[in-house]
Amino acid sequence: LALYFHIGEREEKCIIEDIPSDTLVVGNYKVQRWDIHKHDFLESAPGLGMFVTVTSPSGEVLLSKLYGPQGTFSFTSYLSGEHIICFQSNSTRFAVIAGSKLRIHLDIRVGEHFLDESAIQAKDKVNEVNVRLEHLIEQIHHVTKEQDYEREREEKFRKTSEETNSNILWWAIVQTLILISVGIWQIKSLRDFFISKKLV
């Protein structure tokens, strides 16, 4: 996931990532501040830091740390589900002048273990193949976890759909019984009315 978004200097912005359990998540970000004179975002925002907070689906805070104007954060998910990743600047300027716009470039990688190319080059060919093979095995494990998680979600969705269909069926049966009862009551009322008026 690579994106950028705008926030105010004291504003908090959150994104939601659906992550399987036991998965490494690595995020890289860079902050730029709007320059009023140049009418453009500056390449860096010196002295400006970002609070990064990550909350698990159960509400547990997995990460809460202050970083600089650009940085890398990482965490491991313990539960599968929607994790909330929030960003807020550490601006100490007065609220009147703290309305400067910030642009945050964000790149989030889920379940990726990066190869250290320099370490690979320093080793002989057999070790290089071994390291690359281990990396491929890790990637296969990650894909398997992703598939298992998607299977769980599909099963939950199917159960919810079946329960909804069952409820709709019972509601249709109840409606039909009510309509039949009202119809019988109307026929009986009309019959009694005609008898009372001696029309039948």
Side-chain angles (χ1 to χ4, degrees):
L1 172 70
L3 55 90
Y4 75 84
F5 54 88
H6 295 149
I7 63 171
E9 278 203 36
R10 289 189 172 179
E11 182 185 352
E12 184 179 51
K13 193 87 162 188
C14 298
I15 62 168
I16 296 173
E17 273 291 305
D18 208 350
I19 303 168
S21 61
D22 298 319
T23 302
L24 174 68
V25 179
V26 179
N28 293 298
Y29 74 90
K30 180 176 77 171
V31 182
Q32 296 175 302
R33 181 184 277 145
W34 176 255
D35 189 309
I36 298 170
H37 305 295
K38 294 183 180 177
H39 295 286
D40 197 7
F41 286 96
L42 296 175
E43 267 312 302
S44 64
L48 187 67
M50 293 298 293
F51 285 107
V52 180
T53 308
V54 179
T55 310
S56 72
S58 65
E60 179 189 354
V61 176
L62 300 178
L63 175 70
S64 182
K65 192 174 176 183
L66 175 63
Y67 294 89
Q70 68 180 73
T72 300
F73 61 91
S74 64
F75 65 93
T76 301
S77 61
Y78 297 105
L79 294 171
S80 55
E82 294 181 342
H83 289 68
I84 301 170
I85 305 169
C86 296
F87 297 87
Q88 185 176 28
S89 75
N90 69 336
S91 174
T92 54
R93 300 200 297 166
F94 294 113
V96 177
I97 59 170
S100 179
K101 194 166 29 169
L102 302 174
R103 175 182 283 176
I104 299 177
H105 296 266
L106 178 63
D107 181 21
I108 293 179
R109 296 173 189 253
V110 178
E112 290 193 21
H113 297 268
F114 304 106
L115 283 171
D116 186 353
E117 294 294 336
S118 60
I120 290 171
Q121 289 170 2
K123 297 179 179 181
D124 59 22
K125 287 288 179 186
V126 175
N127 284 342
E128 179 183 341
V129 171
N130 190 31
V131 170
R132 290 192 182 275
L133 189 60
E134 285 175 5
H135 181 255
L136 281 173
I137 290 169
E138 279 184 7
Q139 292 294 88
I140 290 167
H141 285 312
H142 173 64
V143 169
T144 305
K145 270 195 278 189
E146 283 276 359
Q147 287 177 332
D148 290 341
Y149 179 52
E150 290 301 324
R151 203 173 292 118
E152 281 175 28
R153 289 183 63 193
E154 190 274 332
E155 192 176 331
K156 279 183 192 173
F157 180 74
R158 187 171 42 78
K159 282 181 183 174
T160 304
S161 298
E162 286 172 0
E163 286 172 9
T164 304
N165 287 339
S166 175
N167 290 339
I168 289 170
L169 176 64
W170 281 109
W171 176 240
I173 290 169
V174 168
Q175 278 184 318
T176 305
L177 290 174
I178 290 171
L179 285 172
I180 291 170
S181 302
V182 168
I184 291 170
W185 177 78
Q186 283 182 331
I187 290 170
K188 187 177 180 309
S189 297
L190 279 171
R191 186 171 167 270
D192 291 345
F193 173 77
F194 288 145
I195 289 172
S196 67
K197 294 294 182 183
K198 298 182 180 177
L199 295 173
V200 177

